[in-house]
PDB file of all heavy atoms in Angstrom:
ATOM      1  N   TYR A  92     202.191  46.918 158.341  1.00 98.00           N
ATOM      2  CA  TYR A  92     202.676  45.669 157.741  1.00 98.00           C
ATOM      3  C   TYR A  92     204.158  45.425 157.983  1.00 98.00           C
ATOM      4  O   TYR A  92     204.905  46.335 158.340  1.00 98.00           O
ATOM      5  CB  TYR A  92     202.340  45.613 156.250  1.00 98.00           C
ATOM      6  CG  TYR A  92     203.145  46.524 155.354  1.00 98.00           C
ATOM      7  CD1 TYR A  92     204.180  46.011 154.584  1.00 98.00           C
ATOM      8  CD2 TYR A  92     202.863  47.871 155.261  1.00 98.00           C
ATOM      9  CE1 TYR A  92     204.913  46.820 153.728  1.00 98.00           C
ATOM     10  CE2 TYR A  92     203.591  48.691 154.410  1.00 98.00           C
ATOM     11  CZ  TYR A  92     204.608  48.158 153.658  1.00 98.00           C
ATOM     12  OH  TYR A  92     205.331  48.967 152.822  1.00 98.00           O
ATOM     13  N   GLU A  99     207.766  40.588 147.722  1.00 96.00           N
ATOM     14  CA  GLU A  99     207.776  41.253 146.410  1.00 96.00           C
ATOM     15  C   GLU A  99     208.674  42.493 146.411  1.00 96.00           C
ATOM     16  O   GLU A  99     209.215  42.877 145.375  1.00 96.00           O
ATOM     17  CB  GLU A  99     206.353  41.696 146.014  1.00 96.00           C
ATOM     18  CG  GLU A  99     205.441  40.581 145.559  1.00 96.00           C
ATOM     19  CD  GLU A  99     204.803  39.819 146.728  1.00 96.00           C
ATOM     20  OE1 GLU A  99     205.128  40.115 147.896  1.00 96.00           O
ATOM     21  OE2 GLU A  99     204.005  38.905 146.456  1.00 96.00           O
ATOM     22  N   VAL A 100     208.810  43.099 147.579  1.00 97.00           N
ATOM     23  CA  VAL A 100     209.601  44.330 147.639  1.00 97.00           C
ATOM     24  C   VAL A 100     211.047  44.060 147.219  1.00 97.00           C
ATOM     25  O   VAL A 100     211.719  44.922 146.658  1.00 97.00           O
ATOM     26  CB  VAL A 100     209.526  44.979 149.049  1.00 97.00           C
ATOM     27  CG1 VAL A 100     210.356  44.237 150.076  1.00 97.00           C
ATOM     28  CG2 VAL A 100     209.951  46.434 148.979  1.00 97.00           C
ATOM     29  N   LEU A 101     211.508  42.835 147.464  1.00 97.00           N
ATOM     30  CA  LEU A 101     212.888  42.513 147.107  1.00 97.00           C
ATOM     31  C   LEU A 101     213.059  42.393 145.596  1.00 97.00           C
ATOM     32  O   LEU A 101     214.134  42.657 145.066  1.00 97.00           O
ATOM     33  CB  LEU A 101     213.319  41.225 147.815  1.00 97.00           C
ATOM     34  CG  LEU A 101     213.457  41.435 149.317  1.00 97.00           C
ATOM     35  CD1 LEU A 101     213.498  40.115 150.056  1.00 97.00           C
ATOM     36  CD2 LEU A 101     214.683  42.276 149.639  1.00 97.00           C
ATOM     37  N   GLU A 102     212.004  41.990 144.914  1.00 97.00           N
ATOM     38  CA  GLU A 102     212.084  41.947 143.454  1.00 97.00           C
ATOM     39  C   GLU A 102     212.127  43.372 142.887  1.00 97.00           C
ATOM     40  O   GLU A 102     212.913  43.669 141.992  1.00 97.00           O
ATOM     41  CB  GLU A 102     210.916  41.164 142.859  1.00 97.00           C
ATOM     42  CG  GLU A 102     211.091  41.003 141.356  1.00 97.00           C
ATOM     43  CD  GLU A 102     210.089  40.055 140.711  1.00 97.00           C
ATOM     44  OE1 GLU A 102     209.405  39.315 141.439  1.00 97.00           O
ATOM     45  OE2 GLU A 102     210.000  40.092 139.480  1.00 97.00           O
ATOM     46  N   LEU A 103     211.292  44.241 143.448  1.00 98.00           N
ATOM     47  CA  LEU A 103     211.309  45.633 142.975  1.00 98.00           C
ATOM     48  C   LEU A 103     212.680  46.259 143.258  1.00 98.00           C
ATOM     49  O   LEU A 103     213.245  46.974 142.433  1.00 98.00           O
ATOM     50  CB  LEU A 103     210.205  46.458 143.644  1.00 98.00           C
ATOM     51  CG  LEU A 103     210.012  47.830 143.000  1.00 98.00           C
ATOM     52  CD1 LEU A 103     209.496  47.707 141.572  1.00 98.00           C
ATOM     53  CD2 LEU A 103     209.083  48.704 143.815  1.00 98.00           C
ATOM     54  N   PHE A 104     213.207  45.967 144.425  1.00 98.00           N
ATOM     55  CA  PHE A 104     214.554  46.421 144.803  1.00 98.00           C
ATOM     56  C   PHE A 104     215.551  46.031 143.699  1.00 98.00           C
ATOM     57  O   PHE A 104     216.345  46.842 143.246  1.00 98.00           O
ATOM     58  CB  PHE A 104     214.900  45.768 146.149  1.00 98.00           C
ATOM     59  CG  PHE A 104     216.351  45.701 146.508  1.00 98.00           C
ATOM     60  CD1 PHE A 104     217.049  46.841 146.864  1.00 98.00           C
ATOM     61  CD2 PHE A 104     217.010  44.474 146.535  1.00 98.00           C
ATOM     62  CE1 PHE A 104     218.384  46.763 147.233  1.00 98.00           C
ATOM     63  CE2 PHE A 104     218.338  44.388 146.900  1.00 98.00           C
ATOM     64  CZ  PHE A 104     219.033  45.535 147.240  1.00 98.00           C
ATOM     65  N   TRP A 105     215.453  44.811 143.258  1.00 98.00           N
ATOM     66  CA  TRP A 105     216.398  44.337 142.239  1.00 98.00           C
ATOM     67  C   TRP A 105     216.176  45.043 140.900  1.00 98.00           C
ATOM     68  O   TRP A 105     217.129  45.348 140.179  1.00 98.00           O
ATOM     69  CB  TRP A 105     216.290  42.812 142.101  1.00 98.00           C
ATOM     70  CG  TRP A 105     217.441  42.271 141.325  1.00 98.00           C
ATOM     71  CD1 TRP A 105     217.421  41.729 140.078  1.00 98.00           C
ATOM     72  CD2 TRP A 105     218.816  42.248 141.745  1.00 98.00           C
ATOM     73  NE1 TRP A 105     218.680  41.370 139.688  1.00 98.00           N
ATOM     74  CE2 TRP A 105     219.559  41.678 140.690  1.00 98.00           C
ATOM     75  CE3 TRP A 105     219.484  42.658 142.896  1.00 98.00           C
ATOM     76  CZ2 TRP A 105     220.938  41.506 140.755  1.00 98.00           C
ATOM     77  CZ3 TRP A 105     220.864  42.488 142.955  1.00 98.00           C
ATOM     78  CH2 TRP A 105     221.573  41.922 141.905  1.00 98.00           C
ATOM     79  N   PHE A 107     215.335  48.014 140.598  1.00 98.00           N
ATOM     80  CA  PHE A 107     215.876  49.371 140.770  1.00 98.00           C
ATOM     81  C   PHE A 107     217.411  49.405 140.780  1.00 98.00           C
ATOM     82  O   PHE A 107     218.010  50.432 140.477  1.00 98.00           O
ATOM     83  CB  PHE A 107     215.384  49.984 142.087  1.00 98.00           C
ATOM     84  CG  PHE A 107     213.926  50.379 142.092  1.00 98.00           C
ATOM     85  CD1 PHE A 107     213.277  50.640 143.295  1.00 98.00           C
ATOM     86  CD2 PHE A 107     213.204  50.498 140.904  1.00 98.00           C
ATOM     87  CE1 PHE A 107     211.934  51.013 143.320  1.00 98.00           C
ATOM     88  CE2 PHE A 107     211.865  50.866 140.924  1.00 98.00           C
ATOM     89  CZ  PHE A 107     211.227  51.126 142.133  1.00 98.00           C
ATOM     90  N   TYR A 141     221.089  49.654 151.043  1.00 95.00           N
ATOM     91  CA  TYR A 141     219.906  49.818 151.881  1.00 95.00           C
ATOM     92  C   TYR A 141     218.988  50.968 151.436  1.00 95.00           C
ATOM     93  O   TYR A 141     217.764  50.792 151.378  1.00 95.00           O
ATOM     94  CB  TYR A 141     220.385  49.885 153.341  1.00 95.00           C
ATOM     95  CG  TYR A 141     219.671  50.775 154.296  1.00 95.00           C
ATOM     96  CD1 TYR A 141     218.329  50.561 154.618  1.00 95.00           C
ATOM     97  CD2 TYR A 141     220.338  51.808 154.931  1.00 95.00           C
ATOM     98  CE1 TYR A 141     217.691  51.380 155.537  1.00 95.00           C
ATOM     99  CE2 TYR A 141     219.705  52.618 155.846  1.00 95.00           C
ATOM    100  CZ  TYR A 141     218.384  52.414 156.135  1.00 95.00           C
ATOM    101  OH  TYR A 141     217.757  53.219 157.030  1.00 95.00           O
ATOM    102  N   PRO A 142     219.537  52.136 151.008  1.00 97.00           N
ATOM    103  CA  PRO A 142     218.617  53.182 150.527  1.00 97.00           C
ATOM    104  C   PRO A 142     217.841  52.781 149.263  1.00 97.00           C
ATOM    105  O   PRO A 142     216.777  53.320 149.004  1.00 97.00           O
ATOM    106  CB  PRO A 142     219.551  54.363 150.243  1.00 97.00           C
ATOM    107  CG  PRO A 142     220.757  54.123 151.096  1.00 97.00           C
ATOM    108  CD  PRO A 142     220.938  52.636 151.097  1.00 97.00           C
ATOM    109  N   VAL A 143     218.388  51.821 148.501  1.00 98.00           N
ATOM    110  CA  VAL A 143     217.654  51.353 147.313  1.00 98.00           C
ATOM    111  C   VAL A 143     216.475  50.478 147.759  1.00 98.00           C
ATOM    112  O   VAL A 143     215.374  50.564 147.213  1.00 98.00           O
ATOM    113  CB  VAL A 143     218.574  50.583 146.339  1.00 98.00           C
ATOM    114  CG1 VAL A 143     217.809  50.219 145.065  1.00 98.00           C
ATOM    115  CG2 VAL A 143     219.823  51.394 146.012  1.00 98.00           C
ATOM    116  N   LEU A 144     216.712  49.661 148.787  1.00 98.00           N
ATOM    117  CA  LEU A 144     215.595  48.861 149.330  1.00 98.00           C
ATOM    118  C   LEU A 144     214.540  49.787 149.946  1.00 98.00           C
ATOM    119  O   LEU A 144     213.336  49.575 149.792  1.00 98.00           O
ATOM    120  CB  LEU A 144     216.114  47.854 150.371  1.00 98.00           C
ATOM    121  CG  LEU A 144     215.046  46.954 151.020  1.00 98.00           C
ATOM    122  CD1 LEU A 144     214.220  46.192 149.983  1.00 98.00           C
ATOM    123  CD2 LEU A 144     215.678  45.968 152.005  1.00 98.00           C
ATOM    124  N   GLN A 145     215.020  50.822 150.607  1.00 97.00           N
ATOM    125  CA  GLN A 145     214.060  51.784 151.170  1.00 97.00           C
ATOM    126  C   GLN A 145     213.260  52.454 150.048  1.00 97.00           C
ATOM    127  O   GLN A 145     212.055  52.679 150.188  1.00 97.00           O
ATOM    128  CB  GLN A 145     214.803  52.832 151.999  1.00 97.00           C
ATOM    129  CG  GLN A 145     213.862  53.627 152.872  1.00 97.00           C
ATOM    130  CD  GLN A 145     214.593  54.615 153.773  1.00 97.00           C
ATOM    131  OE1 GLN A 145     215.816  54.581 153.909  1.00 97.00           O
ATOM    132  NE2 GLN A 145     213.852  55.496 154.396  1.00 97.00           N
ATOM    133  N   SER A 146     213.911  52.733 148.929  1.00 97.00           N
ATOM    134  CA  SER A 146     213.195  53.307 147.779  1.00 97.00           C
ATOM    135  C   SER A 146     212.124  52.335 147.289  1.00 97.00           C
ATOM    136  O   SER A 146     211.014  52.755 146.924  1.00 97.00           O
ATOM    137  CB  SER A 146     214.176  53.602 146.637  1.00 97.00           C
ATOM    138  OG  SER A 146     215.144  54.536 147.057  1.00 97.00           O
ATOM    139  N   ALA A 147     212.462  51.050 147.286  1.00 98.00           N
ATOM    140  CA  ALA A 147     211.472  50.043 146.867  1.00 98.00           C
ATOM    141  C   ALA A 147     210.302  49.993 147.861  1.00 98.00           C
ATOM    142  O   ALA A 147     209.138  49.888 147.459  1.00 98.00           O
ATOM    143  CB  ALA A 147     212.128  48.673 146.737  1.00 98.00           C
ATOM    144  N   ASP A 148     210.594  50.119 149.156  1.00 97.00           N
ATOM    145  CA  ASP A 148     209.517  50.167 150.163  1.00 97.00           C
ATOM    146  C   ASP A 148     208.550  51.304 149.841  1.00 97.00           C
ATOM    147  O   ASP A 148     207.335  51.144 149.904  1.00 97.00           O
ATOM    148  CB  ASP A 148     210.082  50.465 151.565  1.00 97.00           C
ATOM    149  CG  ASP A 148     210.911  49.334 152.132  1.00 97.00           C
ATOM    150  OD1 ASP A 148     210.570  48.171 151.870  1.00 97.00           O
ATOM    151  OD2 ASP A 148     211.894  49.628 152.847  1.00 97.00           O
ATOM    152  N   ILE A 149     209.141  52.455 149.545  1.00 97.00           N
ATOM    153  CA  ILE A 149     208.332  53.661 149.335  1.00 97.00           C
ATOM    154  C   ILE A 149     207.552  53.556 148.028  1.00 97.00           C
ATOM    155  O   ILE A 149     206.344  53.788 147.989  1.00 97.00           O
ATOM    156  CB  ILE A 149     209.242  54.916 149.328  1.00 97.00           C
ATOM    157  CG1 ILE A 149     209.887  55.130 150.703  1.00 97.00           C
ATOM    158  CG2 ILE A 149     208.453  56.155 148.906  1.00 97.00           C
ATOM    159  CD1 ILE A 149     211.004  56.167 150.726  1.00 97.00           C
ATOM    160  N   LEU A 150     208.259  53.160 146.960  1.00 98.00           N
ATOM    161  CA  LEU A 150     207.616  53.188 145.642  1.00 98.00           C
ATOM    162  C   LEU A 150     206.673  52.005 145.438  1.00 98.00           C
ATOM    163  O   LEU A 150     205.765  52.053 144.616  1.00 98.00           O
ATOM    164  CB  LEU A 150     208.680  53.249 144.549  1.00 98.00           C
ATOM    165  CG  LEU A 150     209.500  54.553 144.580  1.00 98.00           C
ATOM    166  CD1 LEU A 150     210.617  54.517 143.553  1.00 98.00           C
ATOM    167  CD2 LEU A 150     208.604  55.774 144.343  1.00 98.00           C
ATOM    168  N   MET A 151     206.894  50.945 146.220  1.00 97.00           N
ATOM    169  CA  MET A 151     206.039  49.769 146.161  1.00 97.00           C
ATOM    170  C   MET A 151     204.564  50.109 146.414  1.00 97.00           C
ATOM    171  O   MET A 151     203.672  49.566 145.791  1.00 97.00           O
ATOM    172  CB  MET A 151     206.527  48.831 147.275  1.00 97.00           C
ATOM    173  CG  MET A 151     206.079  47.446 147.196  1.00 97.00           C
ATOM    174  SD  MET A 151     207.246  46.369 146.389  1.00 97.00           S
ATOM    175  CE  MET A 151     206.364  45.963 144.934  1.00 97.00           C
ATOM    176  N   VAL A 152     204.327  51.003 147.363  1.00 96.00           N
ATOM    177  CA  VAL A 152     202.930  51.369 147.641  1.00 96.00           C
ATOM    178  C   VAL A 152     202.545  52.632 146.872  1.00 96.00           C
ATOM    179  O   VAL A 152     201.441  53.130 147.012  1.00 96.00           O
ATOM    180  CB  VAL A 152     202.648  51.556 149.160  1.00 96.00           C
ATOM    181  CG1 VAL A 152     202.897  50.278 149.910  1.00 96.00           C
ATOM    182  CG2 VAL A 152     203.450  52.703 149.755  1.00 96.00           C
ATOM    183  N   ARG A 153     203.451  53.156 146.080  1.00 95.00           N
ATOM    184  CA  ARG A 153     203.225  54.348 145.261  1.00 95.00           C
ATOM    185  C   ARG A 153     202.653  55.508 146.086  1.00 95.00           C
ATOM    186  O   ARG A 153     201.671  56.146 145.695  1.00 95.00           O
ATOM    187  CB  ARG A 153     202.354  54.013 144.052  1.00 95.00           C
ATOM    188  CG  ARG A 153     203.121  53.126 143.062  1.00 95.00           C
ATOM    189  CD  ARG A 153     202.432  52.961 141.743  1.00 95.00           C
ATOM    190  NE  ARG A 153     201.728  51.697 141.654  1.00 95.00           N
ATOM    191  CZ  ARG A 153     201.163  51.231 140.549  1.00 95.00           C
ATOM    192  NH1 ARG A 153     201.178  51.947 139.462  1.00 95.00           N
ATOM    193  NH2 ARG A 153     200.559  50.056 140.550  1.00 95.00           N
ATOM    194  N   THR A 170     215.140  58.047 146.240  1.00 98.00           N
ATOM    195  CA  THR A 170     213.865  57.463 145.800  1.00 98.00           C
ATOM    196  C   THR A 170     213.276  58.269 144.643  1.00 98.00           C
ATOM    197  O   THR A 170     212.806  57.704 143.653  1.00 98.00           O
ATOM    198  CB  THR A 170     212.861  57.450 146.972  1.00 98.00           C
ATOM    199  OG1 THR A 170     213.474  56.827 148.094  1.00 98.00           O
ATOM    200  CG2 THR A 170     211.583  56.724 146.598  1.00 98.00           C
ATOM    201  N   ILE A 173     215.248  57.594 141.528  1.00 98.00           N
ATOM    202  CA  ILE A 173     214.937  56.271 140.967  1.00 98.00           C
ATOM    203  C   ILE A 173     213.597  56.319 140.230  1.00 98.00           C
ATOM    204  O   ILE A 173     213.470  55.812 139.111  1.00 98.00           O
ATOM    205  CB  ILE A 173     214.934  55.193 142.079  1.00 98.00           C
ATOM    206  CG1 ILE A 173     216.369  54.940 142.562  1.00 98.00           C
ATOM    207  CG2 ILE A 173     214.290  53.898 141.592  1.00 98.00           C
ATOM    208  CD1 ILE A 173     216.473  53.963 143.736  1.00 98.00           C
ATOM    209  N   PHE A 185     205.810  55.401 138.478  1.00 98.00           N
ATOM    210  CA  PHE A 185     205.942  55.810 139.885  1.00 98.00           C
ATOM    211  C   PHE A 185     205.753  57.307 140.097  1.00 98.00           C
ATOM    212  O   PHE A 185     206.245  58.106 139.305  1.00 98.00           O
ATOM    213  CB  PHE A 185     207.319  55.407 140.417  1.00 98.00           C
ATOM    214  CG  PHE A 185     207.529  53.923 140.409  1.00 98.00           C
ATOM    215  CD1 PHE A 185     208.334  53.324 139.443  1.00 98.00           C
ATOM    216  CD2 PHE A 185     206.894  53.122 141.346  1.00 98.00           C
ATOM    217  CE1 PHE A 185     208.511  51.950 139.428  1.00 98.00           C
ATOM    218  CE2 PHE A 185     207.070  51.751 141.334  1.00 98.00           C
ATOM    219  CZ  PHE A 185     207.878  51.156 140.371  1.00 98.00           C
ATOM    220  N   CYS A 324     201.554  45.743 146.495  1.00 96.00           N
ATOM    221  CA  CYS A 324     202.902  45.553 145.949  1.00 96.00           C
ATOM    222  C   CYS A 324     202.864  44.698 144.702  1.00 96.00           C
ATOM    223  O   CYS A 324     203.597  44.933 143.741  1.00 96.00           O
ATOM    224  CB  CYS A 324     203.793  44.905 146.997  1.00 96.00           C
ATOM    225  SG  CYS A 324     204.011  45.961 148.400  1.00 96.00           S
ATOM    226  N   THR A 327     201.894  46.859 141.825  1.00 97.00           N
ATOM    227  CA  THR A 327     202.981  47.763 141.422  1.00 97.00           C
ATOM    228  C   THR A 327     204.040  47.001 140.641  1.00 97.00           C
ATOM    229  O   THR A 327     204.538  47.455 139.611  1.00 97.00           O
ATOM    230  CB  THR A 327     203.625  48.410 142.664  1.00 97.00           C
ATOM    231  OG1 THR A 327     202.612  49.084 143.386  1.00 97.00           O
ATOM    232  CG2 THR A 327     204.709  49.395 142.284  1.00 97.00           C
TER     233      THR A 327
END
Side-chain angles (χ1 to χ4, degrees):
Y92 73 103
E99 285 82 356
V100 75
L101 291 164
E102 186 171 347
L103 191 66
F104 160 72
W105 193 249
F107 288 164
Y141 145 63
V143 185
L144 180 55
Q145 194 176 349
S146 299
D148 291 325
I149 295 169
L150 295 175
M151 196 95 247
V152 299
R153 291 191 260 188
T170 308
I173 289 176
F185 297 104
C324 296
T327 303

